[in-house]
């Protein structure tokens, strides 16, 4: 690894000196990694039957999944909920609509398939409050769901997502008596923007979560559990080892987490048809201050610091990892490596098929049970 970093450190300045197509591509790839952007459409609506209240979608690995999901659309309806798969053939899937679409409604073909499901706290029919958390980035909006326990759960959403991603977990946490704080962080479209408006992949965002921990401790919490989704897992892990309040962090729940960015970015680059050494050159560009800023980052990205497999011995609290073997976006390899490195701390029940951050949608019963059993095993109850 040291020789690779040394090679990258030599190659990137050489690219800058030589210019040309390769350097442009490297910086373009690097910029894509740190630039906040809503995900592009990944689903195609073929037809809507308003009489039967069904929708036909182009078949993909996501749209064919059993369970309940959301669909971001354009036209009359911005967001609709999808139920069971009713039929499928080689190219299409017909699903039950759980959001009623009226006759004559305009629904465009391009859409985005989502595991969010709930769009706002009101859909949970649980008491909630809108609060603001003063972080180094500025006031970050959050939702607070009260509970009886003195142990709070602070939920952190993923890259390209917003707080609504986390709402699926609130009912099972509420049933366990856990107060839940669902937070935003810099550059996510709800919290304030940083100087350059770029993601730091957890290296800076953890400070906003640290502010949320301090908020919880000022408002009645004795201890906190951090729950991170996807990149939110990387943020939570950074908070767990860096926070000045880390002695109050008593557990981590990680759904489809980024545990090591190098593993994730190489996987995603390969899936996009990119070949070595392009992914490593892009990460090299993001690793050094000058080339990081040329790539759109606020500061250099410390990939070594973000590698929590390498830093596994610094972790000291119980961790529950929920990760589908068939994730397809953030591979489960690093999650397994963390489990292997710290079997004394990490619990990792096996999930398959569910894809990225869609375990609740695919297997709500199994996902809820895994969280409930882990909370009980650790003694995190309303009386704890």
């Amino acid at each position: 690894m040291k020789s690779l970093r040394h090679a990258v450190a030599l190659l990137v300045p050489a690219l800058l000196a030589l210019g040309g197509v390769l350097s442009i591509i490297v910086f373009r790839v690097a910029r894509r990694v740190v630039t906040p952007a809503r995900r592009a459409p990944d689903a195609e609506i073929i037809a809507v039957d308003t009489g039967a209240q069904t929708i036909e979608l182009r078949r993909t690995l996501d749209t064919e999944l059993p369970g309940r999901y959301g669909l971001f659309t354009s036209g009359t309806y911005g967001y609709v909920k999808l139920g069971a798969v009713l039929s499928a053939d080689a190219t299409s899937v017909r699903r039950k609509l759980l959001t009623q679409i009226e006759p004559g409604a305009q629904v465009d073909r391009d859409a985005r398939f989502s595991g969010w499901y709930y769009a706002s706290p009101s859909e949970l029919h649980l008491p909630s409050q809108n609060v603001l958390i003063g972080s180094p980035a500025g006031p970050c909006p959050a939702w607070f769901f009260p509970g009886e326990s003195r142990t709070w759960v602070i939920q952190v959403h993923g890259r390209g997502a917003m707080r609504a991603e986390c709402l699926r977990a609130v009912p099972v946490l509420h049933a366990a008596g856990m107060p839940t704080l669902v937070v935003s962080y810099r550059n996510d479209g709800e919290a304030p923007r940083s100087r350059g408006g770029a993601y730091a992949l957890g290296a800076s965002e953890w400070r906003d979560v640290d502010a949320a921990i301090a908020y919880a401790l000022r408002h009645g919490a004795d201890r906190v559990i951090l729950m991170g989704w996807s990149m939110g897992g990387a943020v939570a892990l950074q908070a767990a080892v860096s926070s000045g309040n880390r002695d109050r962090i008593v557990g981590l729940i990680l759904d489809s987490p980024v545990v090591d960015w190098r593993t994730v970015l190489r996987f995603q680059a390969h899936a996009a048809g990119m070949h070595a050494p392009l992914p490593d050159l892009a990460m090299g560009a993001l690793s050094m201050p000058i080339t990081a800023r040329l790539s759109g980052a606020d500061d250099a990205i410390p990939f070594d610091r973000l590698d929590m497999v390498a830093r596994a011995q610094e972790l000291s609290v119980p961790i529950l990892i929920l990760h589908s073997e068939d994730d397809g976006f953030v591979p489960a390899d690093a999650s397994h490596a963390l489990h292997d490195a710290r079997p004394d701390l990490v619990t990792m029940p096996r999930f398959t098929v569910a894809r990225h951050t869609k375990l609740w949608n695919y297997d709500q019963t199994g996902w809820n049970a895994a969280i409930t059993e882990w909370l009980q095993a650790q003694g995190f109850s309303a009386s704890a």
Side-chain angles (χ1 to χ4, degrees):
M1 185 60 71
K2 287 183 179 178
S3 61
L4 175 59
R5 286 199 298 269
H6 179 68
V8 169
L10 293 175
L11 278 169
V12 173
L15 286 172
L16 286 173
L18 292 172
V21 174
L22 182 56
S23 62
I24 292 172
I25 294 173
V26 167
F27 286 119
R28 183 178 296 169
V29 172
R31 183 175 294 273
R32 191 181 306 163
V33 171
V34 297
T35 300
R38 299 294 160 235
R39 291 179 185 170
D42 59 6
E44 181 184 349
I45 299 172
I46 299 172
V48 175
D49 186 334
T50 57
Q53 287 298 299
T54 61
I55 188 168
E56 187 177 356
L57 302 169
R58 187 70 60 195
R59 185 169 185 169
T60 68
L61 292 173
D62 281 323
T63 62
E64 70 181 9
L65 286 171
R68 298 182 296 164
Y69 300 88
L71 191 71
F72 289 93
T73 72
S74 55
T76 307
Y77 291 81
Y79 183 75
V80 297
K81 294 179 180 179
L82 308 179
V85 173
L86 302 176
S87 63
D89 58 27
T91 60
S92 65
V93 175
R94 187 169 62 94
R95 307 189 72 114
K96 182 65 180 174
L97 279 168
L98 301 180
T99 299
Q100 180 148 339
I101 295 182
E102 302 295 336
Q106 178 188 345
V107 181
D108 296 337
R109 293 182 71 87
D110 287 341
R112 183 162 59 86
F113 196 79
S114 172
W116 290 18
Y117 194 72
Y118 298 112
S120 71
S122 62
E123 296 176 30
L124 300 179
H125 305 291
L126 294 172
S128 66
Q129 303 168 18
N130 293 313
V131 301
L132 283 176
I133 295 169
S135 85
C140 296
W143 293 314
F144 175 61
F145 297 85
E148 300 83 31
S149 177
R150 302 282 287 184
T151 302
W152 290 27
V153 178
I154 298 175
Q155 288 205 67
V156 189
H157 67 76
R159 185 180 188 278
M162 291 184 179
R163 287 176 290 161
E165 176 176 51
C166 305
L167 290 174
R168 288 165 285 177
V170 172
V172 69
L173 297 171
H174 181 80
M178 316 292 289
T180 304
L181 195 61
V182 181
V183 303
S184 57
Y185 54 79
R186 62 191 69 190
N187 303 316
D188 70 356
E190 294 186 294
R193 188 177 183 272
S194 67
R195 181 180 69 252
Y199 287 130
L201 308 184
S204 296
E205 293 87 352
W206 74 265
R207 298 183 184 279
D208 302 327
V209 173
D210 193 33
I213 297 170
Y215 176 95
L217 296 175
R218 290 195 307 270
H219 288 81
D222 291 334
R223 310 181 299 177
V224 299
I225 296 169
L226 301 181
M227 181 171 186
W229 302 70
S230 191
M231 185 179 104
V235 177
L237 285 162
Q238 290 302 299
V241 295
S242 304
S243 170
N245 296 303
R246 58 185 174 275
D247 60 323
R248 300 293 193 94
I249 300 170
V250 294
L252 297 171
I253 302 173
L254 307 176
D255 187 302
S256 313
V258 176
V259 177
D260 168 33
W261 276 105
R262 292 188 184 98
T263 301
V264 173
L265 295 176
R266 286 169 182 151
F267 175 87
Q268 293 179 354
H270 178 76
M274 298 179 195
H275 301 290
L278 183 56
D280 288 292
L281 288 173
M283 286 186 277
L286 289 169
S287 298
M288 295 180 288
I290 294 176
T291 49
R293 293 188 183 99
L294 289 173
S295 302
D298 288 0
D299 296 295
I301 304 296
F303 286 100
D304 284 344
R305 204 169 85 211
L306 295 171
D307 182 352
M308 292 310 302
V309 176
R311 299 180 67 186
Q313 295 308 312
E314 298 179 46
L315 296 166
S316 59
V317 298
I319 302 170
L320 174 64
I321 297 180
L322 308 165
H323 208 148
S324 176
E325 298 297 330
D326 314 83
D327 185 291
F329 190 69
V330 173
D333 303 51
S335 291
H336 282 293
L338 183 58
H339 174 260
D340 293 343
R342 294 304 306 267
D344 56 320
L345 296 181
V346 178
T347 301
M348 190 174 175
R350 180 175 171 78
F351 286 91
T352 60
V353 181
R355 309 280 292 165
H356 186 60
T357 65
K358 299 181 180 70
L359 286 81
W360 176 93
N361 309 80
Y362 174 73
D363 183 8
Q364 181 179 349
T365 300
W367 190 86
N368 284 352
I371 292 176
T372 300
E373 290 167 9
W374 182 81
L375 290 172
Q376 291 173 345
Q378 305 307 324
F380 300 137
S381 65
S383 59

